[in-house]
Amino acid sequence: MSLKPSRCLVALLLVAGGIGAGDAVAAVAACGSTDVAVNRPATASSTENAGLTASAAVDGNPGSRWGSAFSDPQWLQVDLGSSIPVCQVGLSWEAAYGKAFRIELSDDASTWRQIYATTTGTGGTQNLDVTGTGRYLRITGTQRGTGYGYSLWEVAVHTTDDGSGPVVPPTDPANPDLGPNVSVFTPSTPQADMQNRLNQIAAEMHTNQFGTQRYAVLWKPGTYTADVNLGFYTQAAGLGLSPDDVNLNGHVRVEADWLQQGDDPNNKGNATQNFWRSAENLAVTTPPDQIERWAVSQAASYRRMHLKDAPEIQLWNGGDGWASGGLFADTKIDNTVVSGSQQQWFSRNSEFGGWNGSVWNMVFTGTTGAPPQHFPNPSHTVVDQTPKVREKPFLYVDAAGSYNVFVPALRSGTAGTSWSHGPAAGTSISLADFYVVKPGASVETINAALAEGKHLLFTPGIYHLSDTIQVNRPNTVVLGLGLATLIPDTGKAAISVADVDGVNLAGLLVDAGPVNSPVLIQVGPAGSTASHAANPTSLHDVYVRIGGAHVGKATVSLQVNSNDVIGDHLWLWRGDHGDGVGWDVNTAANGLVVNGNDVTMYGLFVEHYQQYEVLWNGNGGRTYFFQNEFPYDVPNQAAWSSGDGTQGWAAYKVANNVTTHEAWGVGSYCFFSPNTSIMASRSFEVPDTAGVRFHDLVSVSLGGVGTISNVVNSTGGTANAANQQRYVVSYP
């Protein structure tokens, strides 16, 4: 059937793309004439017979129809392909019509939002003006108008996109819709309701290492009592300008209590897979004499936190458990950090009452209360000041109740936190200037928002990308909540950033798709030359995964072509366990390739890539803390060689033409479990020139499984079963 174009009042609302209380009309837009439901996938609760299928209601043929069983309720659902603003639904009923029915939209075909309902339907042709955004549209009949079922000749769906481009919905900063996977607590939230929600999420995410669920739990300024047990893909964050604006009496913790350690099935103290979670912008006061526990490994940030009164915070299970790395950044811990069996750790711009412990590689940059420099026993690397850094942007609520994103200012030559000695310097951006992205949003809409000058706030969820998100404007903020995950499905990059000043990418997980991407994240096009020293682009808590959740392939995970870029806690991981892993399955050459000059990395974790895990081609590079594991799954030596008689590929390669580069606290480990005869000639490969300097290096043969012949170039000795750790204090 055909419908005449009409005009509808488009309330472009922020309620998971639907409508809700407090929503405001933003614009009057033309409702397009194109029926976007034609030949889209359709399903139904039932069919009267094999000739009356759901697809017949969206085939553009007014002579074919869907018919349901003769009972209530019944529904017909259409997948529109991507999240779009819907302004009109046309229904052409056969004689068997719906007297009472509703129309709903959804982003995921699970959670539905009602955009129309009636109990007095009369059948015939109905052109219904509606307002809402979603990928899936469902018509649910609850009372039939006849003794037969429900029968529709055609369902037509019209959008405010008239062909001139996607419509970007505005954001109400006073009442934004952050989607169903964000819980916002206020001081008036009943404590039992809050704790029940926290417990539900914790139980669901306890062992959910490769699941698709994503959550953020947020607290508006105030005082609360809560036990926050953080599981996978969960972010706990305060919504104050200072961590002390949100005070939690209780715990914000991560336990090592689910993964078997060694051969004993009853020993669940292994924290080496406690990945993908974060605590941010909170003050925590534990009950009297109770410790805090943060037993984590990679991609688990403890950032902009204030831990009060707890006698200590333990970075492992407190007993015999293993743990493998994490981050403290912009954090104040009033008492002692006890690292225990934690193998490596990076602390930046933090303040501690004390520190106790080391294993292989503990690095402190711009941190007061750190232990003194002493490497390798204990393995403490201390850099007194952080030369140049910008803290991660964060969401907060101002005194008027409006949401904003705070972008901290660039700081140079600093020690300690940005906030504990007075208000942090920076800029606030109203959430009205953001496109709040929810699962189902199209890349076209995302890029249209960026082209309009909008920033992006990704709500928790999985985002399948058919094209590249293109960040072309300076000072753009792209911020993810709840480990928002981007999957490029078509072999393109997930994100590309132009060679411009001051872009912030933060809080994102890029998960490689099944079609090989030459690069997953590109910062600056090839050949970028501009200086950004006064306002660098920065990446904060940005993670890449290739394999583990599913088959993924990418040649390079992160390519930095722009100058002066800052990396602030990156984990680039070719999966060594989970689904879709294998030497010829989740293929990936390089984790990080740096072509720009004066690029700085703070807290760089890169693991299991098949060639140089880090390849640094630019001059003036600096790295403060590096942790690496060689690929476990090398099948044979011939499959893993960089040529010229070199066995394997170095974990960290500084190109031969580089004349200036410096690194502090760098470690590389091997565990060649399928073939213990595999050897790596060296962990670090650098040009022998005075301007290239490394401080405090370590190679480790984990359990003596495999061999690293030298730490750096031909220096440092062999790490193997006989000597599992090898250290070099400085090179050259």
Side-chain angles (χ1 to χ4, degrees), residues 684-708:
F684 302 92
E685 185 174 307
V686 306
D688 284 316
T689 180
V692 176
R693 296 173 292 172
F694 277 64
H695 313 273
D696 298 356
L697 309 88
V698 60
S699 290
V700 180
S701 175
L702 295 169
V705 180
T707 299
I708 304 173

Side-chain angles (χ1 to χ4, degrees), residues 111-385:
T111 302
W112 295 91
R113 303 174 296 277
Q114 182 173 291
I115 58 172
Y116 178 84
T118 184
T119 58
T120 58
T122 58
T125 297
Q126 295 179 278
N127 295 332
L128 305 172
D129 287 344
V130 296
T131 300
T133 300
R135 172 173 175 171
Y136 300 91
L137 183 138
R138 184 172 68 181
I139 302 120
T140 299
T142 55
Q143 183 181 353
R144 290 165 290 144
T146 70
Y148 298 98
Y150 298 86
S151 186
L152 284 162
W153 292 111
E154 203 71 11
V155 174
V157 179
H158 295 262
T159 175
T160 53
D161 180 0
D162 61 358
S164 62
V167 174
V168 179
T171 300
D172 177 4
N175 186 31
D177 171 27
L178 302 177
N181 298 324
V182 176
S183 298
V184 178
F185 303 120
T186 72
S188 63
T189 303
Q191 197 274 337
D193 292 350
M194 176 179 63
Q195 192 62 55
N196 286 339
R197 180 57 176 157
L198 294 170
N199 293 346
Q200 290 168 2
I201 295 172
E204 181 180 3
M205 308 310 288
H206 185 214
T207 63
N208 199 5
Q209 183 174 177
F210 295 112
T212 58
Q213 297 83 359
R214 302 287 186 270
Y215 294 105
V217 288
L218 310 177
W219 286 265
K220 290 186 177 182
T223 299
Y224 304 82
T225 298
D227 179 18
V228 186
N229 186 1
L230 277 177
F232 285 102
Y233 309 111
T234 306
Q235 176 189 22
L239 291 172
L241 257 181
S242 166
D244 289 337
D245 291 342
V246 179
N247 290 277
L248 292 186
N249 295 309
H251 294 277
V252 177
R253 59 191 173 95
V254 177
E255 303 289 347
D257 60 359
W258 68 274
L259 183 64
Q260 180 175 328
Q261 178 164 308
D263 297 326
D264 182 0
N266 297 314
N267 186 342
K268 304 291 187 182
N270 189 346
T272 59
Q273 293 178 28
N274 278 358
F275 310 142
W276 300 308
R277 62 198 78 195
S278 70
E280 300 181 44
N281 204 30
L282 296 164
V284 179
T285 301
T286 60
D289 301 321
Q290 290 190 18
I291 61 98
E292 190 68 290
R293 183 168 288 116
W294 189 257
V296 299
S297 290
Q298 289 80 4
S301 61
Y302 195 88
R303 183 185 288 276
R304 198 179 171 82
M305 294 287 288
H306 186 189
L307 181 60
K308 303 177 178 180
D309 296 337
E312 63 184 51
I313 180 171
Q314 298 179 346
L315 305 184
W316 85 116
N317 76 334
D320 62 350
W322 304 332
S324 187
L327 169 84
F328 287 142
D330 205 23
T331 282
K332 183 177 181 181
I333 295 172
D334 288 353
N335 292 313
T336 303
V337 180
V338 181
S339 61
S341 61
Q342 184 62 247
Q343 295 166 354
Q344 62 272 314
W345 196 270
F346 181 57
S347 302
R348 181 188 58 70
N349 286 95
S350 292
E351 301 172 13
F352 303 146
W355 181 282
N356 181 3
S358 75
V359 177
W360 297 324
N361 189 27
M362 303 294 176
V363 180
F364 307 84
T365 301
T367 294
T368 63
Q373 167 71 33
H374 198 299
F375 189 90
N377 186 23
S379 57
H380 294 154
T381 298
V382 179
V383 179
D384 290 336
Q385 290 189 334

